[in-house]
PDB file of all heavy atoms in Angstrom:
ATOM      1  N   GLU A   4     -35.354   0.881 -15.132  1.00 53.00           N
ATOM      2  CA  GLU A   4     -35.438  -0.470 -14.570  1.00 53.00           C
ATOM      3  C   GLU A   4     -36.761  -0.657 -13.833  1.00 53.00           C
ATOM      4  O   GLU A   4     -37.335   0.295 -13.337  1.00 53.00           O
ATOM      5  CB  GLU A   4     -34.287  -0.669 -13.585  1.00 53.00           C
ATOM      6  CG  GLU A   4     -32.955  -0.763 -14.280  1.00 53.00           C
ATOM      7  CD  GLU A   4     -31.828  -0.317 -13.384  1.00 53.00           C
ATOM      8  OE1 GLU A   4     -31.946  -0.470 -12.158  1.00 53.00           O
ATOM      9  OE2 GLU A   4     -30.828   0.182 -13.919  1.00 53.00           O
ATOM     10  N   VAL A  30     -24.479  10.576  -7.540  1.00 98.00           N
ATOM     11  CA  VAL A  30     -25.854  11.092  -7.427  1.00 98.00           C
ATOM     12  C   VAL A  30     -26.451  11.303  -8.819  1.00 98.00           C
ATOM     13  O   VAL A  30     -27.578  10.853  -9.107  1.00 98.00           O
ATOM     14  CB  VAL A  30     -25.862  12.414  -6.610  1.00 98.00           C
ATOM     15  CG1 VAL A  30     -27.216  13.104  -6.691  1.00 98.00           C
ATOM     16  CG2 VAL A  30     -25.496  12.134  -5.154  1.00 98.00           C
ATOM     17  N   THR A  32     -25.551  10.042 -11.800  1.00 98.00           N
ATOM     18  CA  THR A  32     -25.733   8.805 -12.578  1.00 98.00           C
ATOM     19  C   THR A  32     -26.876   7.966 -12.001  1.00 98.00           C
ATOM     20  O   THR A  32     -27.693   7.420 -12.757  1.00 98.00           O
ATOM     21  CB  THR A  32     -24.431   7.972 -12.579  1.00 98.00           C
ATOM     22  OG1 THR A  32     -23.342   8.829 -12.924  1.00 98.00           O
ATOM     23  CG2 THR A  32     -24.483   6.840 -13.581  1.00 98.00           C
ATOM     24  N   GLY A  47     -18.445   9.719   7.364  1.00 96.00           N
ATOM     25  CA  GLY A  47     -18.028   8.330   7.158  1.00 96.00           C
ATOM     26  C   GLY A  47     -18.992   7.373   7.835  1.00 96.00           C
ATOM     27  O   GLY A  47     -20.196   7.631   7.919  1.00 96.00           O
ATOM     28  N   ASP A 112     -30.085  -0.559  -0.229  1.00 98.00           N
ATOM     29  CA  ASP A 112     -29.827  -1.718  -1.104  1.00 98.00           C
ATOM     30  C   ASP A 112     -28.349  -1.873  -1.420  1.00 98.00           C
ATOM     31  O   ASP A 112     -27.890  -2.966  -1.759  1.00 98.00           O
ATOM     32  CB  ASP A 112     -30.586  -1.556  -2.434  1.00 98.00           C
ATOM     33  CG  ASP A 112     -32.090  -1.542  -2.213  1.00 98.00           C
ATOM     34  OD1 ASP A 112     -32.582  -2.439  -1.519  1.00 98.00           O
ATOM     35  OD2 ASP A 112     -32.752  -0.613  -2.714  1.00 98.00           O
ATOM     36  N   VAL A 116     -18.651   3.016  -0.493  1.00 98.00           N
ATOM     37  CA  VAL A 116     -17.689   3.484   0.517  1.00 98.00           C
ATOM     38  C   VAL A 116     -16.504   4.105  -0.205  1.00 98.00           C
ATOM     39  O   VAL A 116     -15.755   3.406  -0.895  1.00 98.00           O
ATOM     40  CB  VAL A 116     -17.201   2.299   1.386  1.00 98.00           C
ATOM     41  CG1 VAL A 116     -16.109   2.746   2.349  1.00 98.00           C
ATOM     42  CG2 VAL A 116     -18.361   1.667   2.138  1.00 98.00           C
ATOM     43  N   ILE A 208      12.609   9.910   0.586  1.00 98.00           N
ATOM     44  CA  ILE A 208      11.351   9.149   0.610  1.00 98.00           C
ATOM     45  C   ILE A 208      11.478   7.974   1.583  1.00 98.00           C
ATOM     46  O   ILE A 208      12.594   7.499   1.836  1.00 98.00           O
ATOM     47  CB  ILE A 208      10.957   8.660  -0.810  1.00 98.00           C
ATOM     48  CG1 ILE A 208      12.020   7.752  -1.432  1.00 98.00           C
ATOM     49  CG2 ILE A 208      10.675   9.843  -1.728  1.00 98.00           C
ATOM     50  CD1 ILE A 208      11.626   7.147  -2.784  1.00 98.00           C
ATOM     51  N   GLY A 240       7.238  10.626   5.969  1.00 95.00           N
ATOM     52  CA  GLY A 240       7.655   9.331   6.512  1.00 95.00           C
ATOM     53  C   GLY A 240       9.103   8.992   6.221  1.00 95.00           C
ATOM     54  O   GLY A 240       9.554   7.873   6.517  1.00 95.00           O
ATOM     55  N   GLN A 270      21.851  22.397   8.212  1.00 97.00           N
ATOM     56  CA  GLN A 270      22.516  23.678   8.510  1.00 97.00           C
ATOM     57  C   GLN A 270      23.839  23.422   9.229  1.00 97.00           C
ATOM     58  O   GLN A 270      24.865  24.037   8.915  1.00 97.00           O
ATOM     59  CB  GLN A 270      21.604  24.559   9.361  1.00 97.00           C
ATOM     60  CG  GLN A 270      22.236  25.900   9.698  1.00 97.00           C
ATOM     61  CD  GLN A 270      21.212  26.957  10.066  1.00 97.00           C
ATOM     62  OE1 GLN A 270      20.147  27.025   9.481  1.00 97.00           O
ATOM     63  NE2 GLN A 270      21.549  27.796  11.025  1.00 97.00           N
ATOM     64  N   ALA A 290      -9.303  23.020  -4.920  1.00 98.00           N
ATOM     65  CA  ALA A 290      -9.998  22.391  -6.046  1.00 98.00           C
ATOM     66  C   ALA A 290      -9.191  21.222  -6.591  1.00 98.00           C
ATOM     67  O   ALA A 290      -7.966  21.301  -6.687  1.00 98.00           O
ATOM     68  CB  ALA A 290     -10.223  23.422  -7.136  1.00 98.00           C
ATOM     69  N   ARG A 322      -6.388  -0.225 -13.325  1.00 95.00           N
ATOM     70  CA  ARG A 322      -5.322  -1.150 -13.750  1.00 95.00           C
ATOM     71  C   ARG A 322      -5.146  -1.015 -15.248  1.00 95.00           C
ATOM     72  O   ARG A 322      -6.141  -1.079 -15.989  1.00 95.00           O
ATOM     73  CB  ARG A 322      -5.681  -2.588 -13.390  1.00 95.00           C
ATOM     74  CG  ARG A 322      -5.652  -2.794 -11.875  1.00 95.00           C
ATOM     75  CD  ARG A 322      -5.645  -4.237 -11.506  1.00 95.00           C
ATOM     76  NE  ARG A 322      -5.547  -4.351 -10.051  1.00 95.00           N
ATOM     77  CZ  ARG A 322      -5.688  -5.474  -9.392  1.00 95.00           C
ATOM     78  NH1 ARG A 322      -5.930  -6.603 -10.031  1.00 95.00           N
ATOM     79  NH2 ARG A 322      -5.588  -5.501  -8.085  1.00 95.00           N
ATOM     80  N   PRO A 346      10.791   4.004 -12.885  1.00 97.00           N
ATOM     81  CA  PRO A 346      11.643   4.739 -13.828  1.00 97.00           C
ATOM     82  C   PRO A 346      11.997   6.161 -13.369  1.00 97.00           C
ATOM     83  O   PRO A 346      13.080   6.661 -13.690  1.00 97.00           O
ATOM     84  CB  PRO A 346      10.811   4.788 -15.119  1.00 97.00           C
ATOM     85  CG  PRO A 346       9.544   4.066 -14.861  1.00 97.00           C
ATOM     86  CD  PRO A 346       9.574   3.472 -13.496  1.00 97.00           C
TER      87      PRO A 346
END
Side-chain angles (χ1 to χ4, degrees):
E4 289 153 30
V30 170
T32 311
D112 297 311
V116 175
I208 60 175
Q270 180 158 322
R322 291 195 177 171

